[in-house]
Amino acid sequence: MTQGNDHRDVRGDVRAQIREFLTSRRARITPEQAGLPVYAGDRRRVPGLRRSEVASLAGISPEYMTKLERGNATGVSGSVIDGLVYALQLDDAERAHLEDLLRTASSTRPPRRRPTRQRVRPTVQRILDSMTGAPALVLNGRLDVLATNILGAALYSPIYANPVRPPNTARFVFLDPHATEFFRDYNKAANDTVALLRAEAGRDPYDRDLSDLIGQLSTRSEDFRQRWAAHNVRIHTSGAKLLHHPVVGDLDLAFESLPLPADPSQSLLTYTAEPGSPSQDALSLLASWAATTDDLGLPHLAQEADRSSTPPAGD
């Protein structure tokens, strides 16, 4: 396939995503939530708001709203986006996702292809290694684990148990039966994973490796397909993870995800436990286990992802 044809195919797919995203957002909002009057006997053929109601709330014509829902993104102004954000009650992640889709759909030229960085810089690895009291990892937008410190590798040992490199948390969540044990709130972990991949697909729809990953998950997991169809997106910056580690048991951890501006799509993910808590004791035990065990070769895991770039074909 030529680059031009590939560009047209991606733009066509993105236009379909715009239609599905806008339709799904208005389907979730009731007239009452939008502050619109509801009349007795008003029977709706579609869930949520009608297209004309969204158009009125957004300050645009019904014809223009129809045009947008068909994926025609040419010349969409900031004021129109502001109106859609208001009418559809979009959060920051959803607004960014819509802007990403509109930008790609309106582009007339294929973007310059930049290879996705699969290796972490030595300075970043040194930062990881210096963080001895907290699990720390570097992930890319596809949720590949590119590097870790020793405690991060120990925490993610169930994910590293799969020999495919680099380890990928999305593959683990949807294709590994141990995921439902590792994530104590599996439903949230699965939803977050899909929402992160959906947002990344909007940011970089030309990432072939990401498309292949989504295709693999869609083919092998009905659960993934259903969650993917919801078109939910999110920004992954901070929160809590409830884990059950096979060696040390339950862990209640706070996480912070920090973007690495010099390495687009890479982020530094750190976990901490409340001082004096059972989870802090469990992390200390995990650190002792990581320092003494050689069952998984943990001292070498922090560098494994840096030596690999893509998983073997067919996994």
Side-chain angles (χ1 to χ4, degrees), residues 133 151 248 251 277-290:
L151 193 51
V248 301
L251 292 153
S277 67
S279 292
Q280 182 63 58
D281 294 338
L283 275 185
S284 298
L285 180 60
L286 187 64
S288 298
W289 175 73

Side-chain angles (χ1 to χ4, degrees), residues 35-73:
L36 297 175
V38 179
Y39 302 101
D42 182 9
R43 296 182 178 180
R44 291 176 174 263
R45 293 180 297 175
V46 295
L49 296 179
R50 296 186 175 101
R51 187 181 297 118
S52 60
E53 291 170 331
V54 173
S56 177
L57 289 168
I60 59 179
S61 68
E63 293 77 17
Y64 192 62
M65 187 66 198
T66 299
K67 176 181 173 182
L68 286 174
E69 286 200 356
R70 289 175 177 168
N72 190 332

Side-chain angles (χ1 to χ4, degrees), residues 135 150-161 172 178-184 241-253 271 278-279 282-283 285-290 293 296 298 301:
I150 296 303
L151 193 51
L155 180 66
Y156 272 30
S157 58
I159 299 175
Y160 271 104
F172 177 76
H178 296 98
T180 54
E181 301 172 13
F182 184 65
F183 294 105
R184 285 155 52 204
K241 281 288 176 66
L242 306 179
L243 306 177
H244 179 81
H245 194 276
V247 174
V248 301
D250 288 352
L251 292 153
D252 294 8
L253 302 176
Y271 292 99
S279 292
L283 275 185
L285 180 60
L286 187 64
S288 298
W289 175 73
T293 186
L296 296 175
L298 285 174
L301 286 178

Side-chain angles (χ1 to χ4, degrees), residues 59-136:
I60 59 179
S61 68
E63 293 77 17
Y64 192 62
M65 187 66 198
T66 299
K67 176 181 173 182
L68 286 174
E69 286 200 356
R70 289 175 177 168
N72 190 332
T74 303
V76 179
S77 67
S79 62
V80 169
I81 294 174
D82 289 341
L84 291 172
V85 169
Y86 169 76
L88 297 172
Q89 302 178 18
L90 304 183
D91 62 22
D92 291 344
E94 290 168 326
R95 178 185 182 124
H97 183 61
L98 177 59
E99 290 175 334
D100 288 335
L101 295 177
L102 292 172
R103 182 177 60 252
T104 299
S106 63
S107 174
T108 58
R109 295 182 179 180
R112 287 187 176 182
R113 297 299 302 229
R114 294 184 178 180
T116 302
R117 181 186 290 273
Q118 291 295 324
R119 298 175 180 272
V120 300
R121 288 176 290 117
T123 53
V124 175
Q125 183 65 62
R126 288 198 292 271
I127 291 172
L128 290 174
D129 294 337
S130 70
M131 301 171 68
T132 57

